């Protein structure tokens, strides 16, 4: 059943008229002054105070007290201001004969001024990718399922507000950040050589977000499906009771309207993570957009590097290489040098069944029976039914399963190494024993990310803050690995857990996530 829209919101909005009125400067100055006074906890103001405050800005020329009073009356008519009688004692006969009022900005106009103030600071899409929001959402949904929706009213309201605020922030900031990568300024930046300085940070930033998304999405989607109608009803009943415990001077909505709002937002949350029968989830689209952004950055980097290589002159290198060839007296040495410099020439690989009549090695290849191979046409024109034989679809499910197993095992080794380092808290390179290949690659990646950061620190997708300390004496050490040894500075690392609850949940559920 489709939800019926609020037809009252489709009418004319009188509160917006002062933004584009004839005397817009005067109206905007009065509203801005009242809004600033409202933020300073000064609510009811007299016309004399408003007039004096506006005139201090020196933006209105030849503006009189009478014109200010007319503008205030007009703003009251447009429902931007409300007024009350000023009951203070009159000091003159004119003040006694004339009705005195005080004015207060309305809530609708407060939101308009906040919106206009925000518009003035908008420079682009902005946004960010925060993997920790997935942990907050996953923990809240798991808590709702484990408690079967039974909460104290205040606790239920806090859980719901934390869940929905995290969801709103995740949706808005991630979409804004992905959109910022498709602007004209981003396109221009990706075409310049200066982008090479940022490509590693951009790529790692997007990869960390995608990894957190993939690891947490299954847990969130699974718990959402486990929360049935009864749990949902009990939880929203507690949320409703918690909301009604807050004293309200004005009644903005009824309990039935608030209950409908909770149900609508819950459906929005489920649809964003799980989708429905007709559309894919917004989470899937966000993952695809993040992956496309990574591909776009890599392609731009390759184009810039190819362009730089094409501009560099190789005259000196070729001259040195030619003299080297000239000095060689043995043709075999010249062949080896050519192989090192130029590599293999382009080759063509042909397939076929090797049906030999003899096992003798002395028979020339020209004496062997020819192998017939049907070559598919490269023409772009669509071929007819009789143009060639149809080929069967190759089943690569076993290869995919084996590749998935290898990737999962590699991620498990990375996580085990991170857990080991986190339990130690701090460690030096010289204190490490013989490391496997995966741990060495992970350690060098940490060094590179910390060195490229101003704070010499970064956050892993699991929420661990890794900080690098460079030795003061620049002492070197030897790192022993399974595939060799490496000499480097004796760096020190510290590992800090920012969210202990999320980290413990990660340790408890990571095995299941990787196997899934």
């Amino acid at each position: 059943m489709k939800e019926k829209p609020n037809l009252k919101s489709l009418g004319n909005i009188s509160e917006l008229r002062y933004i584009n009125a004839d005397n817009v400067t005067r109206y905007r100055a009065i509203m801005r002054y009242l809004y600033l006074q409202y933020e300073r906890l000064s609510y009811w103001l007299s016309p004399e105070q408003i007039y004096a405050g506006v005139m201090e800005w020196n933006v209105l020329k030849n503006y009189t007290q009478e014109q200010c009073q007319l503008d205030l009356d007009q703003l009251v008519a447009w429902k931007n201001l409300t007024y009350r009688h000023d009951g203070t004692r009159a000091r003159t006969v004119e003040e006694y004969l004339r009705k005195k009022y005080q004015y207060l900005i309305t809530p609708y106009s407060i939101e308009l001024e906040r919106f206009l103030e925000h518009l003035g600071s908008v420079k682009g899409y902005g946004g960010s990718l925060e993997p920790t929001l997935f942990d907050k959402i996953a923990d809240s949904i798991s808590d709702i399922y484990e408690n079967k929706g039974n909460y104290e009213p205040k606790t239920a309201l806090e859980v719901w507000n934390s869940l929905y605020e995290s969801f709103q922030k995740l949706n808005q900031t991630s979409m804004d950040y992905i959109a910022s990568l498709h602007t004209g300024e981003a396109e221009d930046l990706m075409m310049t050589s200066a982008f090479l300085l940022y490509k590693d940070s951009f790529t790692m930033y997007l990869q960390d977000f995608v990894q957190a998304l993939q690891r947490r999405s299954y847990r969130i989607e699974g718990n959402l499906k486990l929360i049935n109608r009864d749990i949902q009803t009990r939880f929203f009943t507690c949320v409703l009771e918690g909301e009604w415990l807050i004293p309200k001077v004005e009644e903005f909505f009824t309990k039935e309207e608030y209950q409908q709002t909770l149900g609508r937002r819950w459906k929005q949350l489920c649809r964003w993570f799980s989708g429905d029968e007709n559309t894919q989830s917004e989470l899937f689209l966000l993952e695809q957009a993040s992956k496309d952004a990574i591909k776009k950055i890599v392609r731009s980097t390759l184009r810039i590097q190819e362009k730089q290589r094409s501009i560099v002159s190789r005259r000196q290198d070729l001259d040195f290489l030619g003299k080297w060839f000239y000095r060689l007296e043995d043709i075999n040495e010249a062949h080896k040098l050519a192989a090192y410099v130029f590599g293999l020439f382009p080759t063509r690989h042909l397939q076929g069944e090797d049906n030999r009549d003899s096992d003798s090695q002395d028979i020339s290849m020209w004496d062997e029976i020819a192998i017939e191979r049907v070559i598919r046409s490269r023409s772009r024109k669509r071929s007819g039914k009789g143009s060639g034989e149809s080929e069967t679809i190759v089943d690569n499910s076993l290869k995919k399963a084996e590749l998935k197993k290898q990737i999962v095992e590699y991620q498990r080794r990375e996580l085990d190494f991170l857990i080991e380092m986190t339990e130690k808290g701090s460690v030096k390179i010289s204190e490490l024993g013989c490391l496997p290949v995966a741990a060495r690659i992970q350690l060098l990646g940490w060094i590179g990310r910390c060195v490229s950061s101003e704070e010499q620190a970064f956050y892993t997708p699991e929420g661990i803050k890794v900080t690098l300390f460079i030795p003061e004496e620049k002492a070197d050490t030897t790192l022993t690995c399974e595939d060799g040894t490496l000499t480097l500075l004796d760096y020190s690392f510290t590992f800090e857990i920012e969210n202990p609850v999320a980290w413990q949940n990660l340790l408890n559920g990571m095995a299941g996530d990787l196997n899934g």
Side-chain angles (χ1 to χ4, degrees):
M1 182 178 180
K2 294 183 177 181
E3 184 179 356
K4 185 178 179 181
N6 185 9
L7 299 180
K8 295 181 181 179
S9 62
L10 302 179
N12 184 23
I13 302 177
S14 61
E15 289 87 349
L16 295 174
R17 293 181 183 178
Y18 81 94
I19 298 176
N20 294 314
D22 294 336
N23 299 322
V24 60
T25 306
R26 290 155 50 176
Y27 295 134
R28 290 291 305 278
I30 293 174
M31 295 300 296
R32 176 56 58 178
Y33 178 75
L34 286 168
Y35 172 70
L36 294 177
Q37 294 301 315
Y38 172 82
E39 288 189 330
R40 297 169 185 171
L41 304 181
S42 180
Y43 302 117
W44 293 96
L45 301 177
S46 65
E48 291 78 13
Q49 291 175 316
I50 297 173
Y51 176 75
V54 171
M55 294 303 294
E56 289 180 356
W57 294 345
N58 295 324
V59 294
L60 301 177
K61 304 299 182 182
N62 302 323
Y63 193 51
T64 63
Q65 179 73 47
E66 289 73 15
Q67 290 176 331
C68 180
Q69 184 63 53
L70 294 174
D71 294 338
L72 290 173
D73 295 339
Q74 184 61 64
L75 290 171
V76 171
W78 286 338
K79 300 179 182 179
N80 296 112
L81 301 178
T82 183
Y83 66 96
R84 72 178 182 183
H85 180 68
D86 186 3
T88 57
R89 181 176 299 179
R91 293 173 294 179
T92 64
V93 177
E94 294 180 357
E95 291 181 358
Y96 179 77
L97 296 176
R98 186 178 62 218
K99 291 184 178 180
K100 297 177 60 178
Y101 295 101
Q102 291 178 330
Y103 296 89
L104 172 67
I105 187 171
T106 59
Y108 205 109
S109 301
I110 292 172
E111 295 300 326
L112 283 177
E113 287 297 322
R114 284 175 180 167
F115 176 70
L116 294 173
E117 185 179 28
H118 174 69
L119 285 180
S121 60
V122 172
K123 302 298 182 182
Y125 287 96
S128 60
L129 302 178
E130 301 183 26
T132 55
L133 293 176
F134 287 106
D135 293 325
K136 294 181 180 179
I137 295 173
D139 294 340
S140 298
I141 295 176
S142 299
D143 192 53
I144 294 173
Y145 172 70
E146 292 173 0
N147 289 279
K148 304 301 179 182
N150 297 316
Y151 288 95
E152 293 292 331
K154 291 184 179 180
T155 305
L157 184 60
E158 293 176 358
V159 172
W160 170 249
N161 289 336
S162 175
L163 171 61
Y164 195 73
E165 288 174 3
S166 300
F167 166 66
Q168 280 187 316
K169 186 176 181 181
L170 173 65
N171 184 26
Q172 181 178 355
T173 57
S174 59
M175 295 299 178
D176 290 345
Y177 186 80
I178 296 298
S180 66
L181 299 179
H182 293 80
T183 58
E185 295 180 358
E187 297 285 348
D188 296 338
L189 177 62
M190 292 182 185
M191 298 299 293
T192 61
S193 58
F195 181 69
L196 296 177
L197 301 175
Y198 306 100
K199 62 102 175 176
D200 289 336
S201 59
F202 272 115
T203 305
M204 295 301 298
Y205 188 63
L206 289 167
Q207 287 179 350
D208 290 346
F209 180 75
V210 172
Q211 290 178 4
L213 182 150
Q214 292 173 341
R215 292 174 176 175
R216 288 289 163 267
S217 60
Y218 296 109
R219 180 185 174 194
I220 295 173
E221 183 178 354
N223 287 329
L224 283 174
K225 293 180 180 180
L226 293 176
I227 298 176
N228 53 30
R229 177 73 64 174
D230 295 336
I231 298 176
Q232 179 182 339
T233 303
R234 286 195 296 270
F235 176 65
F236 284 155
T237 301
C238 298
V239 174
L240 183 63
E241 294 177 0
E243 179 68 28
W244 249 252
L245 289 176
I246 302 175
K248 298 180 179 63
V249 179
E250 299 174 337
E251 185 177 356
F252 297 101
F253 43 78
T254 63
K255 291 186 177 181
E256 291 74 13
E257 292 175 346
Y258 187 69
Q259 190 80 21
Q260 293 176 0
T261 302
L262 292 176
R264 183 173 64 253
R265 291 179 176 178
W266 182 263
K267 290 180 181 179
Q268 180 185 3
L269 177 69
C270 296
R271 186 168 57 251
W272 200 91
F273 282 99
S274 305
D276 52 28
E277 298 177 355
N278 301 323
T279 59
Q280 291 179 327
S281 64
E282 297 291 336
L283 181 68
F284 174 79
L285 298 178
L286 177 60
E287 180 182 359
Q288 293 299 118
S290 302
K291 292 180 179 179
D292 292 340
I294 296 175
K295 295 178 182 177
K296 184 178 181 181
I297 292 173
V298 174
R299 287 195 298 266
S300 300
T301 304
L302 292 176
R303 284 197 300 266
I304 295 172
Q305 292 176 344
E306 290 175 357
K307 185 178 180 180
Q308 290 180 346
R309 284 195 294 265
S310 63
I311 297 175
V312 176
S313 176
R314 304 297 299 275
R315 181 175 179 176
Q316 295 181 354
D317 296 339
L318 294 176
D319 182 66
F320 175 80
L321 188 61
K323 293 178 181 179
W324 193 351
F325 272 106
Y326 182 76
R327 291 193 302 267
L328 293 177
E329 297 179 357
D330 188 0
I331 188 64
N332 293 325
E333 295 294 328
H335 288 330
K336 293 180 181 179
L337 179 60
Y340 279 114
V341 174
F342 302 107
L344 296 176
F345 290 97
T347 58
R348 297 185 63 188
H349 300 275
L350 302 178
Q351 293 178 317
E353 296 181 2
D354 189 9
N355 298 322
R356 303 185 63 185
D357 294 337
S358 175
D359 295 332
S360 176
Q361 299 180 355
D362 298 331
I363 298 178
S364 173
M365 60 175 292
W366 303 106
D367 297 332
E368 296 285 352
I369 300 175
I371 300 174
E372 295 183 359
R373 174 67 176 171
V374 179
I375 300 177
R376 182 177 297 175
S377 174
R378 294 185 179 181
S379 176
R380 293 185 178 181
K381 296 182 180 180
R382 199 168 185 176
S383 58
K385 294 182 179 179
S387 59
E389 298 180 358
S390 60
E391 297 183 358
T392 59
I393 300 176
V394 180
D395 185 10
N396 295 320
S397 58
L398 296 178
K399 294 182 179 180
K400 292 179 180 179
E402 182 64 26
L403 180 60
K404 180 181 178 181
K405 183 179 179 181
Q406 295 176 4
I407 294 174
V408 170
E409 182 63 28
Y410 187 81
Q411 291 180 349
R412 183 180 287 109
R413 289 197 296 268
E414 285 187 339
L415 180 61
D416 292 340
F417 184 66
L418 177 62
I419 293 174
E420 180 184 354
M421 296 296 102
T422 305
E423 290 176 351
K424 291 182 179 180
S426 62
V427 67
K428 288 186 176 181
I429 298 293
S430 57
E431 298 174 355
L432 298 175
C434 183
L435 297 181
V437 178
R440 175 184 59 80
I441 296 174
Q442 190 175 7
L443 182 66
L444 294 179
W446 290 347
I447 296 175
R449 294 189 63 182
C450 290
V451 170
S452 61
S453 174
E454 295 181 358
E455 300 178 354
Q456 294 187 351
F458 74 98
Y459 288 90
T460 67
E462 295 80 13
I464 302 299
K465 182 180 180 182
V466 181
T467 306
L468 176 71
F469 297 94
I470 301 176
E472 297 180 356
E473 300 178 356
K474 305 293 182 180
D476 293 337
T477 186
T478 301
L479 178 64
T480 305
C481 308
E482 293 180 353
D483 55 347
T485 58
L486 180 64
T487 301
L488 72 166
L489 293 177
D490 191 9
Y491 295 109
S492 299
F493 290 92
T494 61
F495 302 86
E496 301 178 13
I497 302 175
E498 295 294 324
N499 190 344
V501 177
W503 175 249
Q504 187 61 39
N505 292 334
L506 174 66
L507 297 180
N508 296 334
M510 182 55 67
D513 291 342
L514 291 176
N515 292 329

